[in-house]
Amino acid sequence: MAEFKQTHACLIVNGLPYPQPSLRPVISFSALHPTGDIDYALLLLLRTPIKPTIFLFNTVIRGLARSVRSDAVSNSVALLRRMGDLDLSPNNFTYTFLFQCCAKFVGFDLGSQFHGGVIKRCFHADLCVCNSMIQFYSVCGKLDDAKEVFDECTQRDVVTWNSLISGYLRSGDTLEALGVFEKMPERNEVSWNSLIGGLVRAGYLDEARRLFDGMTKRNVVSWAVMISGYCQNGYAREALALFREMQSLDLKPNFAVLVSVLSACAQLGAFDHGSWVHSYIKKNGIKMDSILSAALIDMYAKCGNISLAMQVFDSSEEKNISTYTAAISGLAYNGYNEESIRIFEKMKSARITPDHISYLAVLCSCSHMGSVEKGFHYFNSMVEVHGIKPELDHYTCMVDLLGRAGLLEEAERFINTIPITPDNVIWGALLSACRTHSNAEMGQRVGNYLIESDPGHDGRYVLLSNIYAVSSKGDCVEEIQRTMRRRRIKRVPGCSSIEVDGIVHEFVAGDRSHDKTGEIYSVWEEMVTEIKKLGYAPETKGVVFDVEEEEKETVVGCHSEKLAVAFGFISKEPGSVLRIVKNIRICSDCHSAIKLVSKVFKRKIVEVYTDYVKARNLLLKKKSRNALY
């Protein structure tokens, strides 16, 4: 734009500032070019001594509709008045851009008045005007008005239909959107992608995939919508499988696909896949902006390679709140809590204002390192210094902080003093702390409250059952199990996976389905023999079955993460890092055993927790395949 103004100055110096041939491109560039200056366009239009054409007014109104200015609508109205002063009548394009402006800034009252102008000037039969009105009413949430305009359209094109579909999807009325889609005389990629995206946002993954598979022609946006949909709804495996299918068709992934795939790799701990994506980015010279950098940092951190995560962070040219927050979270996730806090302070020194997510990350660091004083310092700073209103996640983090430090009574008092109603996640954090610190009295009280207020959550029953089991209250354990059976609560099975040569192998407790089952169990028994020399004793208090102690040891010895570790030992190169992904929190026995295995065999073992299995089960429960029909 600076160079453009210099060129315009040359025109003025040479006595050619205002003729129409020079004014038109000057205003067009200033108003519409991505590097333009809408204020410069307004100045030229309103200060020119010659009478501007309707085209110039339309161009600037169009530029205002594209801008992010809060006064775009009022400036558009001012230009409309100026047109009247010059005896220029608005045409169909004027109203199209006015409706676009009102839609972007949700100016419903003004848009309704423009609708009156459209009828008065007989532009209601113009296709572009109709489409812009449908879009305007849809964005404002006035679907009845949008449908009325649609029904009155004398001619319709695919944009008309797509605008109405987008309106229904935006309002969450997926069934109506499907109905309009089925009636369309012709569809383009936008039609399919819009509906698939709407189904994905509503959580109807099966229906979205059915439509995706039925597309006769897909573009890269189609793949991006479906892959990101799988990823955002916890279907990381399906996201990677679809990405591999996309690769087999020699389709180049776009920015959105790469970010989604990296997110899926982070969920699964699929380090090899994530590294391949990083190599692809480098090889193809894809610009590493803040979003892509943050996705890479998050992936490497959750796959347990914090050194690579920080290499990406340090090499990022464009560091903003996203990259800093990813680094802070990644360091905390991997136990580098002091370094996490240092990066947080560095972010503030760089004059980047922390947001609620940044504060959540640093509060987690304080929680992991057991620093109650620092945790409350940052919690108070969030409120008093940056004016960020704490959300339930922040309060949960503070309860977790107090709970980890063993301050259970303080944690309960904190819950009772927060200004918003605590949810079951907050009480669940306290219940987990009761389990960790063997506080049976408080655990029983909180646990009974949770299983009544949140009866469908299997984890509440399991935690309370474990508290009873450790306290040798076998009758209470049996009562919990009877309650679960009566309420038909199915416990999500513990599941652990490990990636070997690009293939993810999955195990459940007592799994004997793998083709190397015999070798897996044999290797684990050898490991147990070695770690017992360092004092390992299986922790069997949490086993609720009424069996002998030897059988209890067998039960805990068959946990999924132990099988995954054993498989990693026989399948991966000696000395290589083992990354185990779990869908539920690791039990204390597995934590102790695997920590000793790492020490004895000098092998780095990274455990990644992801609740993608729970997400899937919840999704299937809420969104059955036939829910739309």
Side-chain angles (χ1 to χ4, degrees):
M1 190 63 200
E3 294 174 357
F4 179 80
K5 287 179 179 179
Q6 290 176 9
T7 307
H8 187 212
C10 290
L11 287 174
I12 296 172
V13 169
N14 287 282
L16 299 170
Y18 298 119
Q20 290 290 354
S22 62
L23 191 60
R24 180 167 177 164
V26 168
I27 288 182
S28 294
F29 182 90
S30 302
L32 303 178
H33 196 272
T35 65
D37 184 343
I38 191 66
D39 286 323
Y40 197 63
L42 280 165
L43 182 68
L44 291 170
L45 182 65
L46 297 175
R47 295 291 180 87
T48 177
I50 63 174
K51 183 178 179 179
T53 62
I54 186 68
F55 174 85
L56 295 177
F57 276 100
N58 287 346
T59 299
V60 178
I61 294 173
R62 183 182 179 190
L64 287 166
R66 289 183 177 185
S67 73
V68 293
R69 295 173 57 112
S70 58
D71 60 351
V73 175
S74 60
N75 274 314
S76 296
V77 173
L79 291 180
L80 197 62
R81 291 198 184 102
R82 179 63 176 158
M83 287 169 60
D85 295 339
L86 298 173
D87 292 326
L88 290 173
S89 296
N91 60 16
N92 55 335
F93 292 109
T94 311
Y95 282 107
T96 298
F97 303 140
L98 286 171
F99 282 119
Q100 288 176 7
C101 195
C102 290
K104 184 169 184 177
F105 298 98
V106 198
F108 175 70
D109 292 338
L110 194 60
S112 299
Q113 294 179 45
F114 291 150
H115 191 170
V118 165
I119 296 172
K120 180 180 178 181
R121 298 179 186 277
C122 298
F123 291 135
H124 54 280
D126 183 272
L127 185 58
C128 290
V129 175
C130 284
N131 291 345
S132 62
M133 284 197 294
I134 293 171
Q135 176 73 6
F136 157 70
Y137 281 123
S138 298
V139 169
C140 293
K142 306 294 182 179
L143 271 300
D144 290 339
D145 293 326
K147 183 63 165 59
E148 187 175 343
V149 174
F150 177 86
D151 292 337
E152 292 175 353
C153 286
T154 55
Q155 54 178 328
R156 299 169 185 153
D157 61 3
V158 69
V159 176
T160 317
W161 291 85
N162 287 345
S163 297
L164 189 61
I165 289 174
S166 297
Y168 282 124
L169 292 173
R170 190 179 288 107
S171 68
D173 198 339
T174 311
L175 190 62
E176 283 292 341
L178 273 171
V180 175
F181 180 81
E182 295 294 339
K183 295 175 183 177
M184 289 183 72
E186 63 172 308
R187 302 160 181 160
N188 59 10
E189 286 93 343
V190 176
S191 314
W192 291 89
N193 294 341
S194 296
L195 189 58
I196 291 171
L199 290 168
V200 162
R201 286 190 297 274
Y204 296 107
L205 271 295
D206 286 343
E207 285 74 15
R209 184 58 188 266
R210 178 176 59 82
L211 284 178
F212 177 83
D213 291 338
M215 292 180 71
T216 54
K217 183 181 178 182
R218 303 179 190 129
N219 57 18
V220 69
V221 176
S222 313
W223 292 89
V225 169
M226 199 65 237
I227 290 172
S228 65
Y230 273 137
C231 187
Q232 291 166 13
N233 284 276
Y235 288 74
R237 294 182 185 281
E238 287 78 358
L240 288 184
L242 197 59
F243 176 63
R244 287 192 290 269
E245 184 181 337
M246 181 182 180
Q247 288 178 285
S248 69
L249 298 173
D250 292 327
L251 294 172
K252 288 187 176 182
N254 64 5
F255 179 86
V257 171
L258 293 174
V259 171
S260 296
V261 170
L262 286 171
S263 179
C265 293
Q267 290 181 41
L268 292 172
F271 178 81
D272 294 341
H273 278 85
S275 297
W276 182 92
V277 173
H278 194 182
S279 299
Y280 179 89
I281 291 168
K282 291 179 179 177
K283 183 179 178 181
N284 290 274
I286 298 171
K287 183 184 177 183
M288 189 74 75
D289 69 355
S290 60
I291 298 175
L292 203 51
S293 295
L296 271 170
I297 294 167
D298 184 62
M299 182 276 295
Y300 279 130
K302 287 182 177 174
C303 288
N305 199 324
I306 193 62
S307 61
L308 279 178
M310 294 311 293
Q311 282 181 31
V312 174
F313 174 77
D314 292 335
S315 63
S316 298
E317 296 180 5
E318 184 185 336
K319 288 188 180 74
N320 65 5
I321 194 165
S322 299
T323 46
Y324 271 105
T325 301
I328 295 165
S329 300
L331 287 164
Y333 193 86
N334 285 272
Y336 295 88
N337 301 301
E338 291 183 0
E339 179 67 7
S340 173
I341 292 173
R342 188 186 71 78
I343 295 294
F344 181 80
E345 292 296 336
K346 183 179 178 181
M347 178 179 72
K348 292 197 297 182
S349 299
R351 296 186 177 180
I352 297 175
T353 304
D355 63 4
H356 65 289
I357 301 175
S358 309
Y359 267 110
L360 189 63
V362 79
L363 287 175
C364 286
S365 293
C366 296
S367 177
H368 293 161
M369 66 192 295
S371 181
V372 176
E373 185 178 345
K374 271 189 178 178
F376 274 95
H377 164 72
Y378 285 118
F379 182 80
N380 293 330
S381 296
M382 178 180 70
V383 179
E384 296 167 5
V385 178
H386 292 107
I388 299 172
K389 186 178 180 180
E391 299 175 0
L392 283 169
D393 287 340
H394 299 101
Y395 289 117
T396 302
C397 206
M398 297 307 293
V399 172
D400 185 62
L401 168 65
L402 292 166
R404 283 173 183 258
L407 304 173
L408 301 184
E409 293 181 0
E410 289 85 344
E412 188 172 19
R413 282 199 295 271
F414 180 82
I415 294 174
N416 291 326
T417 59
I418 62 178
I420 53 180
T421 304
D423 64 357
N424 290 321
V425 178
I426 292 180
W427 287 109
L430 181 58
L431 180 62
S432 181
C434 292
R435 165 70 176 87
T436 302
H437 295 283
S438 302
N439 189 324
E441 185 275 324
M442 184 182 290
Q444 180 176 350
R445 176 161 44 81
V446 175
N448 284 325
Y449 166 77
L450 278 171
I451 63 175
E452 293 306 319
S453 62
D454 193 11
H457 194 298
D458 66 299
R460 317 302 188 203
Y461 299 88
V462 174
L463 268 177
L464 184 56
S465 178
N466 288 339
I467 290 171
Y468 284 139
V470 171
S471 304
S472 301
K473 295 184 177 181
D475 293 342
C476 295
V477 172
E478 291 178 7
E479 178 60 32
I480 291 291
Q481 292 175 342
R482 283 195 295 270
T483 302
M484 290 181 73
R485 287 194 295 269
R486 186 173 66 253
R487 296 179 178 178
R488 297 181 179 179
I489 305 298
K490 292 184 178 180
R491 179 176 179 178
V492 175
C495 174
S496 300
S497 61
I498 182 171
E499 183 185 33
V500 177
D501 297 329
I503 299 173
V504 177
H505 298 259
E506 197 169 73
F507 299 89
V508 294
D511 202 335
R512 293 189 174 273
S513 61
H514 201 278
D515 55 1
K516 292 187 178 181
T517 291
E519 193 175 356
I520 289 169
Y521 278 88
S522 176
V523 167
W524 179 252
E525 288 173 7
E526 293 174 9
M527 290 180 183
V528 171
T529 301
E530 293 300 317
I531 62 178
K532 278 185 175 180
K533 295 176 183 178
L534 290 185
Y536 167 69
E539 187 177 326
T540 59
K541 288 184 178 180
V543 179
V544 297
F545 306 112
D546 186 18
V547 294
E548 297 297 325
E549 187 65 25
E550 185 177 345
E551 292 181 73
K552 290 184 178 181
E553 290 188 17
T554 302
V555 170
V556 297
C558 296
H559 282 185
S560 61
E561 50 268 58
K562 293 169 181 170
L563 302 180
V565 167
F567 177 71
F569 265 74
I570 64 178
S571 304
K572 296 180 77 81
E573 291 293 325
S576 61
V577 178
L578 303 183
R579 294 179 177 83
I580 311 300
V581 181
K582 282 187 59 62
N583 67 314
I584 58 176
R585 298 290 183 186
I586 188 170
C587 74
S588 56
D589 177 71
C590 287
H591 180 69
S592 301
I594 292 174
K595 187 163 63 174
L596 287 172
V597 166
S598 177
K599 181 178 180 180
V600 171
F601 295 94
K602 295 179 173 54
R603 197 77 175 262
K604 185 176 181 180
I605 302 173
V606 178
E607 292 174 300
V608 180
Y609 168 72
T610 173
D611 60 355
Y612 68 91
V613 173
K614 283 192 176 183
R616 174 184 298 181
N617 290 344
L618 185 63
L619 202 64
L620 292 175
K621 181 179 178 182
K622 289 185 175 180
K623 312 282 187 183
S624 67
R625 185 175 182 86
N626 298 318
L628 287 175
Y629 303 103

PDB file of all heavy atoms in Angstrom, residues 466-487:
ATOM      1  N   ASN A 466     -12.703 -48.286  44.093  1.00  0.00           N
ATOM      2  CA  ASN A 466     -11.291 -48.433  44.465  1.00  0.00           C
ATOM      3  C   ASN A 466     -11.021 -47.916  45.875  1.00  0.00           C
ATOM      4  O   ASN A 466     -10.232 -48.492  46.626  1.00  0.00           O
ATOM      5  CB  ASN A 466     -10.404 -47.687  43.465  1.00  0.00           C
ATOM      6  CG  ASN A 466     -10.332 -48.394  42.124  1.00  0.00           C
ATOM      7  OD1 ASN A 466     -10.593 -49.590  42.034  1.00  0.00           O
ATOM      8  ND2 ASN A 466      -9.993 -47.661  41.086  1.00  0.00           N
ATOM      9  N   ILE A 467     -11.673 -46.791  46.221  1.00  0.00           N
ATOM     10  CA  ILE A 467     -11.510 -46.241  47.573  1.00  0.00           C
ATOM     11  C   ILE A 467     -12.006 -47.247  48.610  1.00  0.00           C
ATOM     12  O   ILE A 467     -11.356 -47.480  49.641  1.00  0.00           O
ATOM     13  CB  ILE A 467     -12.266 -44.904  47.708  1.00  0.00           C
ATOM     14  CG1 ILE A 467     -11.564 -43.819  46.870  1.00  0.00           C
ATOM     15  CG2 ILE A 467     -12.363 -44.465  49.163  1.00  0.00           C
ATOM     16  CD1 ILE A 467     -12.338 -42.512  46.766  1.00  0.00           C
ATOM     17  N   TYR A 468     -13.151 -47.875  48.322  1.00  0.00           N
ATOM     18  CA  TYR A 468     -13.681 -48.889  49.236  1.00  0.00           C
ATOM     19  C   TYR A 468     -12.751 -50.098  49.309  1.00  0.00           C
ATOM     20  O   TYR A 468     -12.516 -50.665  50.386  1.00  0.00           O
ATOM     21  CB  TYR A 468     -15.064 -49.347  48.783  1.00  0.00           C
ATOM     22  CG  TYR A 468     -16.176 -48.363  49.091  1.00  0.00           C
ATOM     23  CD1 TYR A 468     -17.187 -48.114  48.161  1.00  0.00           C
ATOM     24  CD2 TYR A 468     -16.238 -47.712  50.319  1.00  0.00           C
ATOM     25  CE1 TYR A 468     -18.216 -47.234  48.437  1.00  0.00           C
ATOM     26  CE2 TYR A 468     -17.260 -46.821  50.595  1.00  0.00           C
ATOM     27  CZ  TYR A 468     -18.251 -46.585  49.651  1.00  0.00           C
ATOM     28  OH  TYR A 468     -19.260 -45.710  49.938  1.00  0.00           O
ATOM     29  N   ALA A 469     -12.218 -50.493  48.150  1.00  0.00           N
ATOM     30  CA  ALA A 469     -11.359 -51.679  48.108  1.00  0.00           C
ATOM     31  C   ALA A 469     -10.093 -51.468  48.925  1.00  0.00           C
ATOM     32  O   ALA A 469      -9.672 -52.339  49.699  1.00  0.00           O
ATOM     33  CB  ALA A 469     -10.995 -52.009  46.657  1.00  0.00           C
ATOM     34  N   VAL A 470      -9.469 -50.285  48.777  1.00  0.00           N
ATOM     35  CA  VAL A 470      -8.254 -49.978  49.537  1.00  0.00           C
ATOM     36  C   VAL A 470      -8.556 -49.902  51.025  1.00  0.00           C
ATOM     37  O   VAL A 470      -7.718 -50.240  51.864  1.00  0.00           O
ATOM     38  CB  VAL A 470      -7.642 -48.650  49.027  1.00  0.00           C
ATOM     39  CG1 VAL A 470      -6.505 -48.205  49.939  1.00  0.00           C
ATOM     40  CG2 VAL A 470      -7.145 -48.804  47.603  1.00  0.00           C
ATOM     41  N   SER A 471      -9.787 -49.495  51.364  1.00  0.00           N
ATOM     42  CA  SER A 471     -10.190 -49.389  52.773  1.00  0.00           C
ATOM     43  C   SER A 471     -10.731 -50.705  53.308  1.00  0.00           C
ATOM     44  O   SER A 471     -11.283 -50.743  54.415  1.00  0.00           O
ATOM     45  CB  SER A 471     -11.250 -48.294  52.924  1.00  0.00           C
ATOM     46  OG  SER A 471     -10.777 -47.066  52.426  1.00  0.00           O
ATOM     47  N   SER A 472     -10.612 -51.775  52.498  1.00  0.00           N
ATOM     48  CA  SER A 472     -11.069 -53.123  52.895  1.00  0.00           C
ATOM     49  C   SER A 472     -12.561 -53.163  53.191  1.00  0.00           C
ATOM     50  O   SER A 472     -13.015 -53.867  54.101  1.00  0.00           O
ATOM     51  CB  SER A 472     -10.263 -53.615  54.114  1.00  0.00           C
ATOM     52  OG  SER A 472      -8.886 -53.648  53.806  1.00  0.00           O
ATOM     53  N   LYS A 473     -13.334 -52.393  52.428  1.00  0.00           N
ATOM     54  CA  LYS A 473     -14.790 -52.414  52.579  1.00  0.00           C
ATOM     55  C   LYS A 473     -15.399 -53.208  51.424  1.00  0.00           C
ATOM     56  O   LYS A 473     -15.977 -52.665  50.487  1.00  0.00           O
ATOM     57  CB  LYS A 473     -15.340 -50.990  52.614  1.00  0.00           C
ATOM     58  CG  LYS A 473     -14.864 -50.192  53.833  1.00  0.00           C
ATOM     59  CD  LYS A 473     -15.511 -48.815  53.867  1.00  0.00           C
ATOM     60  CE  LYS A 473     -15.095 -48.049  55.110  1.00  0.00           C
ATOM     61  NZ  LYS A 473     -15.725 -46.702  55.200  1.00  0.00           N
ATOM     62  N   GLY A 474     -15.225 -54.533  51.490  1.00  0.00           N
ATOM     63  CA  GLY A 474     -15.673 -55.401  50.409  1.00  0.00           C
ATOM     64  C   GLY A 474     -17.160 -55.326  50.150  1.00  0.00           C
ATOM     65  O   GLY A 474     -17.609 -55.386  48.998  1.00  0.00           O
ATOM     66  N   ASP A 475     -17.966 -55.185  51.221  1.00  0.00           N
ATOM     67  CA  ASP A 475     -19.419 -55.107  51.048  1.00  0.00           C
ATOM     68  C   ASP A 475     -19.806 -53.872  50.239  1.00  0.00           C
ATOM     69  O   ASP A 475     -20.712 -53.935  49.389  1.00  0.00           O
ATOM     70  CB  ASP A 475     -20.112 -55.066  52.422  1.00  0.00           C
ATOM     71  CG  ASP A 475     -19.949 -56.370  53.190  1.00  0.00           C
ATOM     72  OD1 ASP A 475     -19.613 -57.389  52.536  1.00  0.00           O
ATOM     73  OD2 ASP A 475     -20.132 -56.361  54.422  1.00  0.00           O
ATOM     74  N   CYS A 476     -19.126 -52.765  50.504  1.00  0.00           N
ATOM     75  CA  CYS A 476     -19.415 -51.525  49.775  1.00  0.00           C
ATOM     76  C   CYS A 476     -19.019 -51.668  48.303  1.00  0.00           C
ATOM     77  O   CYS A 476     -19.696 -51.138  47.406  1.00  0.00           O
ATOM     78  CB  CYS A 476     -18.679 -50.354  50.400  1.00  0.00           C
ATOM     79  SG  CYS A 476     -19.223 -49.950  52.082  1.00  0.00           S
ATOM     80  N   VAL A 477     -17.928 -52.387  48.058  1.00  0.00           N
ATOM     81  CA  VAL A 477     -17.504 -52.630  46.681  1.00  0.00           C
ATOM     82  C   VAL A 477     -18.574 -53.411  45.931  1.00  0.00           C
ATOM     83  O   VAL A 477     -18.943 -53.081  44.797  1.00  0.00           O
ATOM     84  CB  VAL A 477     -16.160 -53.388  46.646  1.00  0.00           C
ATOM     85  CG1 VAL A 477     -15.817 -53.802  45.213  1.00  0.00           C
ATOM     86  CG2 VAL A 477     -15.054 -52.526  47.222  1.00  0.00           C
ATOM     87  N   GLU A 478     -19.091 -54.450  46.564  1.00  0.00           N
ATOM     88  CA  GLU A 478     -20.134 -55.260  45.930  1.00  0.00           C
ATOM     89  C   GLU A 478     -21.395 -54.446  45.684  1.00  0.00           C
ATOM     90  O   GLU A 478     -22.065 -54.610  44.660  1.00  0.00           O
ATOM     91  CB  GLU A 478     -20.444 -56.466  46.814  1.00  0.00           C
ATOM     92  CG  GLU A 478     -19.310 -57.478  46.877  1.00  0.00           C
ATOM     93  CD  GLU A 478     -19.624 -58.642  47.792  1.00  0.00           C
ATOM     94  OE1 GLU A 478     -20.788 -58.724  48.267  1.00  0.00           O
ATOM     95  OE2 GLU A 478     -18.737 -59.467  48.036  1.00  0.00           O
ATOM     96  N   GLU A 479     -21.710 -53.527  46.606  1.00  0.00           N
ATOM     97  CA  GLU A 479     -22.893 -52.684  46.435  1.00  0.00           C
ATOM     98  C   GLU A 479     -22.725 -51.760  45.225  1.00  0.00           C
ATOM     99  O   GLU A 479     -23.670 -51.552  44.447  1.00  0.00           O
ATOM    100  CB  GLU A 479     -23.133 -51.859  47.708  1.00  0.00           C
ATOM    101  CG  GLU A 479     -24.315 -50.903  47.626  1.00  0.00           C
ATOM    102  CD  GLU A 479     -25.630 -51.617  47.356  1.00  0.00           C
ATOM    103  OE1 GLU A 479     -25.795 -52.775  47.799  1.00  0.00           O
ATOM    104  OE2 GLU A 479     -26.495 -51.002  46.688  1.00  0.00           O
ATOM    105  N   ILE A 480     -21.509 -51.203  45.054  1.00  0.00           N
ATOM    106  CA  ILE A 480     -21.230 -50.356  43.890  1.00  0.00           C
ATOM    107  C   ILE A 480     -21.398 -51.166  42.609  1.00  0.00           C
ATOM    108  O   ILE A 480     -22.006 -50.700  41.632  1.00  0.00           O
ATOM    109  CB  ILE A 480     -19.799 -49.779  43.971  1.00  0.00           C
ATOM    110  CG1 ILE A 480     -19.694 -48.769  45.106  1.00  0.00           C
ATOM    111  CG2 ILE A 480     -19.402 -49.124  42.643  1.00  0.00           C
ATOM    112  CD1 ILE A 480     -20.447 -47.489  44.877  1.00  0.00           C
ATOM    113  N   GLN A 481     -20.902 -52.387  42.609  1.00  0.00           N
ATOM    114  CA  GLN A 481     -20.999 -53.217  41.413  1.00  0.00           C
ATOM    115  C   GLN A 481     -22.446 -53.577  41.097  1.00  0.00           C
ATOM    116  O   GLN A 481     -22.856 -53.614  39.938  1.00  0.00           O
ATOM    117  CB  GLN A 481     -20.162 -54.494  41.599  1.00  0.00           C
ATOM    118  CG  GLN A 481     -18.663 -54.208  41.642  1.00  0.00           C
ATOM    119  CD  GLN A 481     -17.840 -55.450  41.936  1.00  0.00           C
ATOM    120  OE1 GLN A 481     -18.366 -56.454  42.423  1.00  0.00           O
ATOM    121  NE2 GLN A 481     -16.548 -55.372  41.655  1.00  0.00           N
ATOM    122  N   ARG A 482     -23.243 -53.832  42.141  1.00  0.00           N
ATOM    123  CA  ARG A 482     -24.664 -54.116  41.936  1.00  0.00           C
ATOM    124  C   ARG A 482     -25.371 -52.894  41.360  1.00  0.00           C
ATOM    125  O   ARG A 482     -26.231 -53.013  40.477  1.00  0.00           O
ATOM    126  CB  ARG A 482     -25.320 -54.555  43.248  1.00  0.00           C
ATOM    127  CG  ARG A 482     -25.026 -55.984  43.655  1.00  0.00           C
ATOM    128  CD  ARG A 482     -25.986 -56.456  44.746  1.00  0.00           C
ATOM    129  NE  ARG A 482     -25.814 -55.707  45.987  1.00  0.00           N
ATOM    130  CZ  ARG A 482     -24.971 -56.057  46.967  1.00  0.00           C
ATOM    131  NH1 ARG A 482     -24.231 -57.142  46.829  1.00  0.00           N
ATOM    132  NH2 ARG A 482     -24.883 -55.335  48.059  1.00  0.00           N
ATOM    133  N   THR A 483     -25.011 -51.719  41.873  1.00  0.00           N
ATOM    134  CA  THR A 483     -25.610 -50.476  41.365  1.00  0.00           C
ATOM    135  C   THR A 483     -25.285 -50.287  39.891  1.00  0.00           C
ATOM    136  O   THR A 483     -26.145 -49.883  39.094  1.00  0.00           O
ATOM    137  CB  THR A 483     -25.105 -49.274  42.174  1.00  0.00           C
ATOM    138  OG1 THR A 483     -25.425 -49.462  43.557  1.00  0.00           O
ATOM    139  CG2 THR A 483     -25.739 -47.977  41.685  1.00  0.00           C
ATOM    140  N   MET A 484     -24.046 -50.562  39.517  1.00  0.00           N
ATOM    141  CA  MET A 484     -23.652 -50.433  38.121  1.00  0.00           C
ATOM    142  C   MET A 484     -24.435 -51.384  37.229  1.00  0.00           C
ATOM    143  O   MET A 484     -24.883 -51.013  36.138  1.00  0.00           O
ATOM    144  CB  MET A 484     -22.149 -50.684  37.959  1.00  0.00           C
ATOM    145  CG  MET A 484     -21.265 -49.590  38.555  1.00  0.00           C
ATOM    146  SD  MET A 484     -19.496 -49.901  38.314  1.00  0.00           S
ATOM    147  CE  MET A 484     -19.338 -49.570  36.551  1.00  0.00           C
ATOM    148  N   ARG A 485     -24.615 -52.612  37.697  1.00  0.00           N
ATOM    149  CA  ARG A 485     -25.381 -53.588  36.900  1.00  0.00           C
ATOM    150  C   ARG A 485     -26.835 -53.167  36.795  1.00  0.00           C
ATOM    151  O   ARG A 485     -27.446 -53.268  35.729  1.00  0.00           O
ATOM    152  CB  ARG A 485     -25.269 -54.984  37.537  1.00  0.00           C
ATOM    153  CG  ARG A 485     -23.920 -55.645  37.351  1.00  0.00           C
ATOM    154  CD  ARG A 485     -23.980 -57.126  37.704  1.00  0.00           C
ATOM    155  NE  ARG A 485     -24.261 -57.333  39.120  1.00  0.00           N
ATOM    156  CZ  ARG A 485     -23.323 -57.446  40.062  1.00  0.00           C
ATOM    157  NH1 ARG A 485     -22.045 -57.347  39.721  1.00  0.00           N
ATOM    158  NH2 ARG A 485     -23.649 -57.642  41.318  1.00  0.00           N
ATOM    159  N   ARG A 486     -27.406 -52.676  37.904  1.00  0.00           N
ATOM    160  CA  ARG A 486     -28.807 -52.256  37.910  1.00  0.00           C
ATOM    161  C   ARG A 486     -29.029 -51.073  36.966  1.00  0.00           C
ATOM    162  O   ARG A 486     -30.043 -51.001  36.278  1.00  0.00           O
ATOM    163  CB  ARG A 486     -29.236 -51.906  39.337  1.00  0.00           C
ATOM    164  CG  ARG A 486     -30.717 -51.592  39.473  1.00  0.00           C
ATOM    165  CD  ARG A 486     -31.140 -51.423  40.917  1.00  0.00           C
ATOM    166  NE  ARG A 486     -30.536 -50.264  41.548  1.00  0.00           N
ATOM    167  CZ  ARG A 486     -29.558 -50.319  42.452  1.00  0.00           C
ATOM    168  NH1 ARG A 486     -29.060 -51.497  42.827  1.00  0.00           N
ATOM    169  NH2 ARG A 486     -29.067 -49.213  42.989  1.00  0.00           N
ATOM    170  N   ARG A 487     -28.069 -50.158  36.958  1.00  0.00           N
ATOM    171  CA  ARG A 487     -28.183 -48.973  36.095  1.00  0.00           C
ATOM    172  C   ARG A 487     -27.601 -49.197  34.700  1.00  0.00           C
ATOM    173  O   ARG A 487     -27.566 -48.274  33.890  1.00  0.00           O
ATOM    174  CB  ARG A 487     -27.479 -47.787  36.770  1.00  0.00           C
ATOM    175  CG  ARG A 487     -28.125 -47.373  38.078  1.00  0.00           C
ATOM    176  CD  ARG A 487     -27.374 -46.211  38.737  1.00  0.00           C
ATOM    177  NE  ARG A 487     -28.037 -45.785  39.965  1.00  0.00           N
ATOM    178  CZ  ARG A 487     -27.588 -44.817  40.756  1.00  0.00           C
ATOM    179  NH1 ARG A 487     -26.460 -44.177  40.444  1.00  0.00           N
ATOM    180  NH2 ARG A 487     -28.241 -44.480  41.853  1.00  0.00           N
TER     181      ARG A 487
END
